[in-house]
Amino acid sequence: MADIRNTQGFKALAAQTEAELLTRGLDVVSVAVHNVLAHNVAMVAERLGIQPRSALRYVEPAAVADQIAKASAQDTEGAHTVHGVRPVRIDDRSVPVPRWVCSRPLMALSQAIKYASNNDDSRTVQHAGDLLFEIALAIGADPDSESADLPVGVLDETASILEHVAQHIEASGWSVCPCSEDHGQRGLDAKIPATLRGDADLVRRIRAKIGS
């Protein structure tokens, strides 16, 4: 199967699958698409008793895209372990944000990462970490500027992640320290959702300055 990935047929099928995913609003890292596609090709080849090259013709890009979309849907069991899936960013505009204001989403995302990490949501950890990096990159782009240009997509995704974590703290019992002993974390956990939602609202207000 290692060889099949280097064939033109496989690469063309992968490109078509990625295009199908974009129509579903998903931007998926190529290695993930290739892994799922290679698995499908191997299954078809084994089932039909044919070579992987011949199996390529029986694999539909739309069907593979549907598999990935279903596996990555937030309400799918195990979706919290799916990595490399991001919403497609159609709006390439940026919003100028005072540097001191940028500290709020940075701190909120750090808090979200702490909760997601302690409660085994590695997908949220990776996505929030990527957003932290993007915001920091924007802050450092022009050291002489009093503001940072934050992409609209970063703001939208930041607000979504903060809401996601707040909901899980309330509905799923996420804790900053999910051990069996209560040493004050319950009181902190009870306050965090409101704080995260306050930061999410701030991000949305910043986002609203540029309009829809």
Side-chain angles (χ1 to χ4, degrees), residues 37-97:
L37 190 55
H39 176 70
N40 275 266
V41 172
M43 286 182 58
V44 171
E46 182 179 358
R47 188 175 302 163
L48 300 180
I50 59 179
Q51 293 297 315
R53 285 175 180 267
S54 300
L56 287 172
R57 73 185 68 178
Y58 298 106
V59 177
E60 290 291 332
V64 178
D66 286 341
Q67 289 177 5
I68 296 173
K70 182 178 180 180
S72 62
Q74 290 290 354
D75 58 352
T76 299
E77 184 177 355
H80 62 283
T81 65
V82 177
H83 300 153
V85 179
R86 301 286 184 267
V88 174
R89 291 181 182 174
I90 300 175
D91 195 332
D92 61 357
R93 295 176 297 172
S94 296
V95 183
V97 182

Side-chain angles (χ1 to χ4, degrees), residues 27-192:
D27 183 7
V28 184
V29 295
S30 293
V31 66
V33 175
H34 287 196
N35 287 342
V36 176
L37 190 55
H39 176 70
N40 275 266
V41 172
M43 286 182 58
V44 171
E46 182 179 358
R47 188 175 302 163
L48 300 180
I50 59 179
Q51 293 297 315
R53 285 175 180 267
S54 300
L56 287 172
R57 73 185 68 178
Y58 298 106
V59 177
E60 290 291 332
V64 178
D66 286 341
Q67 289 177 5
I68 296 173
K70 182 178 180 180
S72 62
Q74 290 290 354
D75 58 352
T76 299
E77 184 177 355
H80 62 283
T81 65
V82 177
H83 300 153
V85 179
R86 301 286 184 267
V88 174
R89 291 181 182 174
I90 300 175
D91 195 332
D92 61 357
R93 295 176 297 172
S94 296
V95 183
V97 182
R99 284 174 177 271
W100 65 271
V101 175
C102 292
S103 63
R104 285 280 298 277
L106 285 174
M107 289 187 293
L109 284 170
S110 297
Q111 190 74 67
I113 288 174
K114 190 169 186 177
Y115 271 88
S117 177
N118 286 341
N119 294 275
D120 302 320
D121 187 345
S122 56
R123 177 178 180 175
T124 296
V125 171
Q126 288 203 358
H127 193 176
D130 289 343
L131 293 172
L132 273 176
F133 177 79
E134 289 191 74
I135 294 174
L137 194 64
I139 293 173
D142 184 359
D144 297 324
S145 176
E146 295 183 355
S147 63
D149 293 328
L150 299 187
V152 165
V154 168
L155 295 171
D156 289 338
E157 292 167 32
T158 294
S160 177
I161 279 183
L162 298 184
E163 285 287 354
H164 170 77
V165 173
Q167 289 172 7
H168 273 289
I169 293 172
E170 292 176 333
S172 305
W174 277 15
S175 175
V176 69
C177 180
C179 69
S180 57
E181 298 181 6
D182 182 10
H183 44 80
Q185 72 269 36
R186 293 178 184 174
L188 175 62
D189 296 336
K191 299 175 182 178
I192 291 298

